[in-house]
Amino acid sequence: MNKFRKVIILYTIVMLTCMIITVLVYIKSNVSFDIPGTYTDEQLQLYKQIWNGLNENMNEFKQKMLIYLLAFWVFIMFLGYLLLAYFYFAEIKPITQLQNYATEISKGNLDVPIPVNKNLRFIDFTESFDLMREELKKSRLRELEAENEKRQMVAELSHDLKTPIATIQATCEVLEMQISKKKEAGDELGEISGIEEKVGFISQKAETINKLVQNVLHATIDDLEEISVSVEEYDSKLIESYFTSLKDYGNIILDNHIHECLVYMDKLRMEQVVDNIVGNSYKYAGTDIHVSFEETEEMPSVSGGKDKFIKITVRDSGPGVPKDELPLVVEKFYRGSGTEEKNGYGLGLYLVKNYVERQGGGFEYYNDNGFVVVIYVKKV
């Protein structure tokens, strides 16, 4: 469209230039003659009479020629504009409408019908394009219906899970009461201590599951795009306790203790992070899992400044991840080769990366005589 405007402007300039040149030529086209000094008065009078007659005829001719030239100029200019207008309505405007239509489609507006002109040369193309729009619209409606059904199913499952979780928590409370009574009665403390620890562990995990189910339920009902992460200041020792509380993931060895300080984190999300990392190593490596803690110097943070972090390294001695699959293990729902017989959804490391980065930290992973995951927790 901009090029067409430039053509119209250029055409107008050329035509106006031609008109100006014509007028200038008319103004400057005067006939002059010299009167010889040897003529007599009678001869001069005769020449003047002849010249006046010729001059009048020449002026009339020039005026008529100017009128004819201006009329021809107006005709040519009008004809040019007429041809340009025809070209615009026959070729440019339909293409512009198609461009605008394609722009609306790219924005996701599938309710705009394509303007169909029976005189267009590419009428079949426009009709096919409109059919494609209709199919895209139907596909989007089907996708929305499927998404709504999925949300409804997740909401129903989340709601149904609340009852057995509540039952587990109630049973744990009853067991804890019974243990307290046995302690008061003076029963053997060794056996009671072991049972009490297991009941406490079950109760703690049931509470974590309950919170996660509530998150999923709220996210589904409120149509949230992501589960919230609430970052607050906590004692770093909490992170070490998350590792020591994992009793069902084989032998977890702490190579050292975490530096005691305040860190920024979401307690529930950090517990999920630790559980997912260690659970992955236990599931796919089946070896001892070593955990080490280290303070870092100032490093660039996601906020653009420089902060100090607690570096947590979790290392197993398994086969690691194939080199060509290494970049993909943090993708949502990705499961690598050899995992068919293992339970999982391909979300573990995806959630780890997501939660750690949203808490202001960092995330790394690589192979080094096993699989290594490194997370950075921002210090206060």
Side-chain angles (χ1 to χ4, degrees):
M1 191 63 188
N2 291 331
K3 291 182 179 179
F4 186 73
R5 289 196 189 98
K6 291 179 181 178
V7 170
I8 294 176
I9 294 171
L10 181 62
Y11 175 77
T12 303
I13 293 173
V14 170
M15 294 303 296
L16 290 174
T17 303
C18 292
M19 184 188 70
I20 293 170
I21 292 173
T22 302
V23 173
L24 291 175
V25 170
Y26 169 78
I27 293 173
K28 293 186 177 182
S29 60
N30 293 322
V31 179
S32 62
F33 69 100
D34 294 326
I35 301 175
T38 57
Y39 288 114
T40 64
D41 292 337
E42 293 179 356
Q43 289 175 328
L44 288 174
Q45 291 296 329
L46 179 62
Y47 278 128
K48 286 182 179 179
Q49 291 177 0
I50 295 172
W51 170 248
N52 289 334
L54 290 173
N55 194 37
E56 291 176 0
N57 292 334
M58 181 61 69
N59 287 335
E60 291 179 1
F61 175 77
K62 284 171 60 180
Q63 290 175 357
K64 289 181 180 179
M65 285 299 298
L66 180 62
I67 292 172
Y68 292 150
L69 288 173
L70 290 176
F72 180 74
W73 176 85
V74 170
F75 172 77
I76 293 297
M77 192 167 186
F78 176 79
L79 182 62
Y81 281 127
L82 192 64
L83 291 174
L84 289 172
Y86 171 78
F87 183 75
Y88 172 77
F89 287 104
E91 302 290 342
I92 303 297
K93 187 176 180 180
I95 294 174
T96 303
Q97 289 176 333
L98 284 176
Q99 288 177 337
N100 295 335
Y101 175 78
T103 300
E104 291 297 322
I105 295 295
S106 67
K107 292 178 181 177
N109 186 5
L110 301 177
D111 294 322
V112 179
I114 189 171
V116 178
N117 189 338
K118 299 297 181 182
N119 297 324
L120 288 179
R121 300 178 192 170
F122 37 90
I123 182 66
D124 294 335
F125 170 76
T126 57
E127 290 177 346
S128 300
F129 208 90
D130 200 49
L131 289 174
M132 182 190 72
R133 176 188 66 83
E134 291 290 342
E135 289 301 319
L136 284 173
K137 186 176 179 180
K138 293 177 183 177
S139 176
R140 173 176 286 183
L141 290 175
R142 289 193 296 267
E143 182 180 350
L144 288 174
E145 290 175 357
E147 182 68 17
N148 289 334
E149 290 176 358
K150 184 184 74 173
R151 290 181 181 278
Q152 184 178 356
M153 181 189 69
V154 172
E156 291 173 353
L157 288 174
S158 301
H159 183 269
D160 292 340
L161 282 171
K162 291 172 69 178
T163 301
I165 293 172
T167 303
I168 295 172
Q169 289 178 315
T171 304
C172 288
E173 289 175 1
V174 171
L175 288 172
E176 287 173 348
M177 290 176 61
Q178 292 177 351
I179 291 171
S180 297
K181 290 181 180 180
K182 287 187 176 182
K183 279 185 174 181
E184 294 173 358
D187 290 352
E188 294 182 8
L189 295 180
E191 183 179 355
I192 292 175
S193 178
I195 296 174
E196 184 179 24
E197 183 181 354
K198 292 178 182 178
V199 171
F201 178 75
I202 294 172
S203 179
Q204 179 187 356
K205 289 300 178 182
E207 179 61 26
T208 300
I209 294 171
N210 186 44
K211 290 179 181 178
L212 295 176
V213 170
Q214 288 179 0
N215 285 152
V216 174
L217 181 60
H218 292 160
T220 304
I221 293 175
D222 299 336
D223 197 25
L224 297 175
E225 292 184 1
E226 56 185 11
I227 297 174
S228 63
V229 173
S230 178
V231 178
E232 297 180 19
E233 297 180 9
Y234 291 100
D235 188 343
S236 61
K237 286 291 184 180
L238 274 174
I239 300 176
E240 184 173 329
S241 70
Y242 294 151
F243 285 99
T244 57
S245 65
L246 296 175
K247 304 297 184 181
D248 297 332
Y249 289 151
N251 191 22
I252 302 172
I253 303 170
L254 300 183
D255 294 337
N256 60 346
H257 293 287
I258 194 168
H259 174 74
E260 190 168 358
C261 62
L262 292 178
V263 293
Y264 292 110
M265 69 177 186
D266 181 315
K267 288 174 62 178
L268 179 60
R269 304 304 167 215
M270 186 56 68
E271 187 175 0
Q272 283 182 266
V273 166
V274 171
D275 191 274
N276 283 342
I277 295 174
V278 177
N280 264 12
S281 290
Y282 175 73
K283 185 190 301 182
Y284 298 114
T287 66
D288 290 345
I289 300 170
H290 287 262
V291 182
S292 61
F293 306 98
E294 179 184 349
E295 285 187 276
T296 70
E297 298 296 329
E298 286 191 344
M299 297 171 57
S301 65
V302 292
S303 61
K306 289 189 175 182
D307 297 294
K308 291 185 178 181
F309 298 85
I310 296 294
K311 178 181 178 182
I312 305 169
T313 305
V314 182
R315 180 189 302 269
D316 62 48
S317 302
V321 178
K323 186 177 180 180
D324 57 338
E325 296 180 8
L326 201 58
L328 303 174
V329 296
V330 292
E331 296 296 325
K332 190 189 299 185
F333 303 122
Y334 179 80
R335 304 197 71 203
S337 58
T339 62
E340 296 80 4
E341 297 180 359
K342 306 286 186 180
N343 295 326
Y345 300 98
L347 291 171
L349 292 182
Y350 167 80
L351 291 175
V352 168
K353 182 176 185 294
N354 183 276
Y355 288 155
V356 169
E357 290 180 349
R358 287 169 62 193
Q359 292 175 79
F363 172 77
E364 298 174 355
Y365 63 97
Y366 52 88
N367 288 322
D368 182 16
N369 296 320
F371 190 62
V372 182
V373 174
V374 180
I375 60 174
Y376 296 88
V377 183
K378 184 178 175 181
K379 293 178 61 176
V380 175

